[in-house]
Amino acid sequence: MPPAPAPSGVERLKEASRFLRGEIAAELAAPGREVSEDAYNLLKFHGTYEQHDRDTATERKQRGEEKEFSFMVRVRMPGGMLTAGQYLALDALADRYGNGTLRITTREGVQFHGVIKQDLKASIAAINQTLLTTQAACGDVVRNVTATPAPRRDAVHARIRADAAMLSAALLPASRAYHELFLDEAAQAELGTEPEPLYGPTYLPRKFKIGIAAPEDNSIDVLTNDLGIVALFEGERLVGYNFALGGGLGMTHNRKDTYPRLATPLCFVGPDDLRRGVEAVIALQRDFGDRSDRRRARLKYLLDERGLDWAKATLEGYFGAPLAPPRPQPSFEIPEILGWHAQGDGKFWLGVPVPSGRIEDRGDCRLRSALRAAVARFGADPVLTGQQDILLTNLAPADRGPVEALLRDHGVVLAETLTPLARWSLACPALPTCGLALAEAERVHRPIVAAIEAALARVGLAGERISLRLTGCPNGCARPYAGDIGIVGRMPGHYALYVGGDFAGTRLSFKLHDKIAEADLAPALAPLFAAFAEQRCDDEGFGDFCTRLGTEALRDLIAPVQDAA
Ligand code: SRM
Ligand code: SF4
């Protein structure tokens, strides 16, 4: 037998960290804006990443100055649920500690950017005062649990919200390191000796994501999670949960053994077994996931290496009983939840689009001020969606007119004035904050959407519901491989083009072009749109059409652009 591969450096770091403490306290107290690589890696578990401003890095290097370091701080909130008070507190922190913006993430969380090291502890403590946490928002643990966001006041949605909140709380690390480091909790007598019953001393091999959805609303792309849970109901009665395992989108260019994958339905657990079932899946990944190569450490690779039969049998060992096969489930749908909707309790919610999830005041559109005023004045409790949008909930019928007038007065673009393409588009932050970005995303989101909108309009498809996801690198943070069109950064100004996913998030897209200039994206898609307008069948979506035609036929259609590129 060949010797087992050596654990990666991060594994050794976790093990020696005394349950995630490391030297963080001393490093945060030291002067300077930077931390060591070890502290950088451990701080992730506490919800923060050191970053630097990539716009100024080269110039500063030429001047012999250090990079402009600051921290991204990520707040977790299961199912994107916030109270009005929490939202207003976060909004205030964006000015006090951040860069004046709040960013809704594709996992229904919030990120602050631009927090300097000296403010890190105070900002995290202030977030905790709102009864929210940054603990385990990043790192090799269970991240923010996403959930079908629509605030419908019925048994189905109430149960899903409650399940997401229960799992999120139950799966937090037991270590008190976070509380000692950021909340001034008295240190344990014997540092780092507390039990960590679920995770153990080295936590998980990699990040672990859980989403829970009802089939009628898959706007969170539940199958892109390590564990996608589909809650099944008969009327208002919960029947149980289908567990789909092994979703994940990250891949590395030029490493064929890394790839996006949608979760595979593996088993069914009853209404009372949710937590036990989830803990069994976590234990499976904890004990068998790859701890030597972080690029191959997600659950998806374990499933593909060992097979589904092995995974199910091993899972049953942890679960302590045989697991039933997944139950038949209705097809996934993605309803429109922006605009006005009745909640079912006499109140209404208004879904407001947030381009790239960035809540900011920008030119004539004072979105941040408008949301702050609407939440403060009308007591709306926000819900953040996995499509980077915000739902203002619990509004009385009489508030509808005034809320809408307030938003319009601030220049906010409401959903009905957007094209479907703009409404269903996502973009990751990329430059200048993301250290992994190979190309722009958020900052070129609007012009790319505008160019593609124009191409659609030219063939009469301006009103077509097509999803577009744009990322600055192949890691997949805006889920580019799960929508109709994926645009993935390859190098500055150039993108790989993916098509053929479906709108409901049940099929991965495929790569049509490896490296295409930003200006050539819309011209490359134009002949595909023309063919779609002419040849589509019935209610076929754009991604379905692309899959039916297949790579070769589509490549022939875009050949003139390829030749020019
Ligand atoms: Fe992500 C790393 C932003 C959702 C896959 N992601 C990063 C980092 C932290 C970059 C880094 O490691 O230095 C990015 C910070 C950028 C910045 O400046 O803020 C980052 N990811 C985001 C967010 C903010 C994107 C957004 O547009 O909202 C999302 C935060 C979600 C949250 O609240 O927790 C975000 N990331 C995702 C998703 C989508 C999802 O989970 O639904 C994915 C694809 C699904 C998956 O996990 O496979 C995703 N992010 C990654 C990966 C690839 C992981 C892999 O298995 O290879 C990385 C890189 C890594 O982990 O090494 C990454
Ligand atoms: Fe950064 Fe890449 Fe994620 Fe975009 S997809 S935020 S560029 S890691």
Side-chain angles (χ1 to χ4, degrees):
M1 279 253 292
S8 69
V10 175
E11 289 301 319
R12 294 195 299 276
L13 172 70
K14 286 186 280 185
E15 185 152 29
S17 73
R18 292 168 289 117
F19 294 93
L20 308 177
R21 291 171 176 86
E23 303 307 319
I24 292 176
E27 292 212 25
L28 291 186
R33 294 179 66 149
E34 209 184 343
V35 295
S36 69
E37 193 180 341
D38 283 358
Y40 163 86
N41 279 312
L42 289 176
L43 277 166
K44 293 181 189 178
F45 289 80
H46 305 304
T48 180
Y49 269 73
E50 182 186 86
Q51 302 183 318
H52 67 269
D53 183 346
R54 293 184 58 190
D55 282 348
T56 60
T58 310
E59 211 177 285
R60 289 177 76 93
K61 191 172 175 191
Q62 282 161 358
R63 290 205 304 262
E65 293 167 5
E66 74 164 11
K67 293 170 181 161
E68 258 183 289
F69 290 104
S70 67
F71 288 77
M72 174 268 273
V73 175
R74 188 179 286 170
V75 192
R76 59 189 265 160
M77 50 210 65
M81 293 176 284
L82 287 170
T83 64
Q86 286 171 330
Y87 180 84
L88 294 173
L90 293 183
D91 178 81
L93 295 179
D95 286 330
R96 189 160 1 131
Y97 298 117
N99 66 356
T101 74
L102 291 153
R103 192 170 181 295
I104 304 173
T105 74
T106 51
R107 294 193 65 76
E108 305 179 331
V110 162
Q111 282 187 183
F112 295 100
H113 288 106
V115 180
I116 58 165
K117 191 180 94 172
Q118 285 68 22
D119 286 341
L120 199 53
K121 183 172 170 181
S123 61
I124 290 178
I127 289 164
N128 272 266
Q129 276 166 14
T130 71
L131 303 183
L132 293 166
T133 187
T134 70
Q135 189 188 13
C138 321
D140 298 344
V141 279
V142 174
R143 305 288 188 88
N144 194 34
V145 178
T146 55
T148 290
R152 295 186 198 285
R153 304 306 179 206
D154 58 20
V156 172
H157 290 80
R159 179 68 190 232
I160 288 175
R161 279 192 290 275
D163 286 342
M166 180 276 289
L167 288 175
S168 180
L171 304 173
L172 281 174
S175 166
R176 302 306 293 174
Y178 177 83
H179 309 78
E180 292 167 18
L181 287 167
F182 298 103
L183 308 179
D184 285 334
E185 184 176 283
Q188 307 275 315
E190 285 180 83
L191 268 191
T193 55
E194 68 264 47
E196 188 69 273
L198 177 61
Y199 292 119
T202 48
Y203 296 82
L204 297 181
R206 206 57 164 91
K207 56 174 72 167
F208 193 93
K209 297 184 174 177
I210 300 178
I212 176 162
E216 68 247 36
D217 182 351
N218 185 32
S219 58
I220 59 164
D221 287 327
V222 72
L223 298 179
T224 60
N225 287 275
D226 295 87
L227 172 56
I229 302 171
V230 183
L232 300 177
F233 290 81
E234 273 170 11
E236 299 236 307
R237 189 180 69 86
L238 176 68
V239 179
Y241 306 89
N242 276 346
F243 275 21
L245 271 63
L249 299 182
M251 58 171 274
T252 308
H253 282 310
N254 303 326
R255 256 199 79 164
K256 284 208 163 53
D257 62 348
T258 66
Y259 46 81
R261 185 183 190 284
L262 289 183
T264 314
L266 195 75
C267 59
F268 171 86
V269 301
D272 299 328
D273 286 333
L274 178 64
R275 181 169 170 185
R276 186 159 69 112
V278 169
E279 288 185 349
V281 180
I282 292 170
L284 176 83
Q285 161 71 349
R286 177 195 66 205
D287 295 346
F288 292 95
D290 188 329
R291 289 187 183 264
S292 62
D293 179 356
R294 288 183 64 77
R295 291 190 192 275
R296 293 260 313 160
R298 298 290 291 272
L299 178 64
K300 60 184 174 180
Y301 300 117
L302 177 65
L303 289 195
D304 285 347
E305 265 171 24
R306 304 271 192 128
L308 297 177
D309 292 343
W310 171 87
K312 184 148 182 274
T314 313
L315 199 54
E316 285 173 341
Y318 288 108
F319 187 68
L323 284 161
R327 297 265 176 105
Q329 65 183 54
S331 307
F332 283 125
E333 289 171 29
I334 303 200
E336 178 55 272
I337 54 171
L338 297 192
W340 286 105
H341 299 265
Q343 293 179 179
D345 59 355
K347 296 199 169 165
F348 288 82
W349 88 78
L350 173 64
V352 181
V354 181
S356 310
R358 184 73 66 178
I359 300 179
E360 62 179 341
D361 286 348
R362 191 175 203 251
D364 292 340
C365 175
R366 292 183 300 124
L367 177 63
R368 185 171 158 225
S369 300
L371 291 174
R372 183 194 312 125
V375 171
R377 210 173 296 165
F378 300 96
D381 299 312
V383 175
L384 311 179
T385 79
Q387 301 282 331
Q388 301 176 321
D389 297 317
I390 188 165
L391 313 179
L392 299 175
T393 78
N394 294 333
L395 294 166
D399 296 338
R400 290 182 56 167
V403 168
E404 211 173 307
L406 185 153
L407 294 174
R408 289 190 197 285
D409 286 350
H410 284 77
V412 174
V413 178
L414 295 178
E416 62 268 22
T417 43
L418 289 177
T419 62
L421 185 81
R423 186 264 169 271
W424 293 106
S425 66
L426 301 175
C428 76
L431 295 163
T433 51
C434 181
L436 305 178
L438 304 172
E440 297 278 357
E442 184 178 326
R443 295 195 294 195
V444 295
H445 184 186
R446 288 165 204 254
I448 286 180
V449 166
I452 297 176
E453 272 170 341
L456 282 166
R458 279 196 291 276
V459 291
L461 291 175
E464 187 68 25
R465 198 169 85 146
I466 290 177
S467 57
L468 171 78
R469 278 97 184 267
L470 170 63
T471 59
C473 87
N475 280 316
C477 297
R479 298 190 290 272
Y481 318 114
D484 288 305
I485 302 174
I487 297 175
V488 176
R490 288 287 274 124
M491 55 184 270
H494 290 74
Y495 298 84
L497 179 61
Y498 287 76
V499 293
D502 66 336
F503 195 85
T506 67
R507 190 179 57 231
L508 286 178
S509 50
F510 54 87
K511 196 198 281 185
L512 195 57
H513 199 303
D514 186 50
K515 213 178 279 169
I516 189 162
E518 183 191 328
D520 290 330
L521 287 166
L525 285 162
L528 308 190
F529 294 149
F532 175 52
E534 274 177 19
Q535 301 166 28
R536 73 190 299 185
C537 302
D538 300 329
D539 56 356
E540 194 175 41
F542 179 65
D544 305 330
F545 170 77
C546 290
T547 293
R548 179 163 64 81
L549 256 63
T551 319
E552 291 313 312
L554 295 172
R555 286 211 174 122
D556 287 347
L557 285 171
I558 67 165
V561 184
Q562 265 179 299
D563 292 345

